[in-house]
Amino acid sequence: MSGRRIEIAPSILSADFSDIREAVGQVEASGAGIVHFDIMDGVFVPQITFGPKLVKDIRPHSSLVFDAHLMITSPESQIDRFIDAGCDYITIHQESTIHLHRALTQIRNGGARCGISIVPSTPVSSIVPLLDMVDLVLVMTVNPGFGGQKLIQSCLDKIVQLAEIRKAEDFDFLISVDGGVNLDTIQDVVAAGADIAVTGSAFFDSDDRGAFIRKMHELALESFS
Ligand code: DX5
Ligand code: ZN
């Protein structure tokens, strides 16, 4: 046994938006420990989802870890609102602002954990100078903007690279993977070295969400070496 463990983080992007509180309750009831909030502004990505007020209104109704994935331009202007909303992790995109160091520091100083994400066309090398200051790296395995897309296999190499750098430099960030993660792909994601697997459509499409989470853990366990 390696002692490794994977966290499954359902994304409510694929939930029924007319009842987000109920959807977060379903995530909690499934046995998952993290809920992933996809924040989209219609500029950085084509779709618009929701903002910090919704997250803040749900916060008192859940004890899950709140993981906010900001797919928005100029995230600096919204970071304080997401901190105030009670997010545990706030992840911004490498491609979303020039002043990444300042924005990550803003998250950290506000009391939340900070994450950096890269889209499929962005290499790991572009975030190496930041790896000593982040709590989480979110590797996108689809082009962000929509749920239900197919995982781009070549992006898994970035997880391997990040795990190697973390080991060599003795860093302690978590590696999270987002996009196209389901029962068919979880083993590849785990084998590459991920710590957190975000899953949206596969979770909300399953009839028995608790069984889905258990199956994901079972499959993950087979892949730990
Ligand atoms: C995509 C989002 C993802 C999305 C994943 O832009 O960042 O979190 O919800 O959905 P699936 O699991 O359906 O690919
Ligand atoms: Zn996401």
Side-chain angles (χ1 to χ4, degrees):
M1 280 297 270
S2 65
R4 265 186 70 197
R5 119 162 221 102
I6 187 131
E7 291 279 354
I8 310 294
S11 161
I12 56 160
L13 181 63
S14 295
D16 177 352
F17 273 24
S18 70
D19 202 347
I20 299 281
R21 181 170 159 186
E22 162 67 15
V24 173
Q26 288 171 7
V27 172
E28 198 146 11
S30 74
I34 305 177
V35 59
H36 183 88
F37 291 96
D38 285 307
I39 315 298
M40 304 185 181
D41 66 355
V43 179
F44 184 74
V45 288
Q47 216 179 162
I48 298 174
T49 54
F50 47 80
K53 182 174 188 308
L54 182 136
V55 179
K56 187 172 184 167
D57 287 352
I58 294 185
R59 181 71 277 188
H61 302 286
S62 175
S63 56
L64 291 165
V65 172
F66 276 25
D67 176 31
H69 175 193
L70 272 48
M71 287 162 275
I72 63 177
T73 52
S74 306
E76 303 84 331
S77 66
Q78 297 298 324
I79 283 168
D80 290 349
R81 292 188 180 88
F82 282 98
I83 290 168
D84 178 58
C87 296
D88 297 288
Y89 285 88
I90 299 176
T91 293
I92 58 172
H93 266 269
Q94 185 273 359
E95 308 82 8
S96 68
T97 177
I98 296 169
H99 303 293
L100 289 165
H101 187 280
R102 181 156 61 203
L104 291 165
T105 304
Q106 190 182 347
I107 297 170
R108 182 60 76 69
N109 288 348
R113 299 206 167 149
C114 63
I116 182 92
S117 183
I118 48 176
V119 303
S121 57
T122 300
V124 167
S125 57
S126 67
I127 56 167
V128 165
L130 303 166
L131 291 178
D132 66 343
M133 67 177 296
V134 294
D135 298 297
L136 182 146
V137 179
L138 179 63
V139 176
M140 292 299 307
T141 41
V142 298
N143 289 293
F146 304 96
Q149 302 181 79
K150 192 173 178 305
L151 179 142
I152 302 168
Q153 280 285 332
S154 58
C155 293
L156 297 178
D157 287 348
K158 294 192 219 178
I159 305 170
V160 176
Q161 285 175 50
L162 284 162
E164 281 172 5
I165 295 170
R166 179 172 62 183
K167 193 170 176 198
E169 302 290 338
D170 207 18
F171 292 151
D172 58 5
F173 56 81
L174 295 168
I175 304 171
S176 183
V177 182
D178 189 2
V181 181
N182 53 40
L183 293 171
D184 295 328
T185 57
I186 184 69
Q187 291 195 315
D188 289 345
V189 164
V190 169
D195 306 296
I196 301 172
V198 176
T199 178
S201 52
F203 178 84
F204 281 100
D205 287 351
S206 50
D207 296 329
D208 183 338
R209 289 160 189 159
F212 172 79
I213 295 292
R214 285 193 296 279
K215 187 72 189 160
M216 290 285 267
H217 279 293
E218 258 172 55
L219 290 167
L221 210 55
E222 288 172 16
S223 291
F224 292 143
S225 44

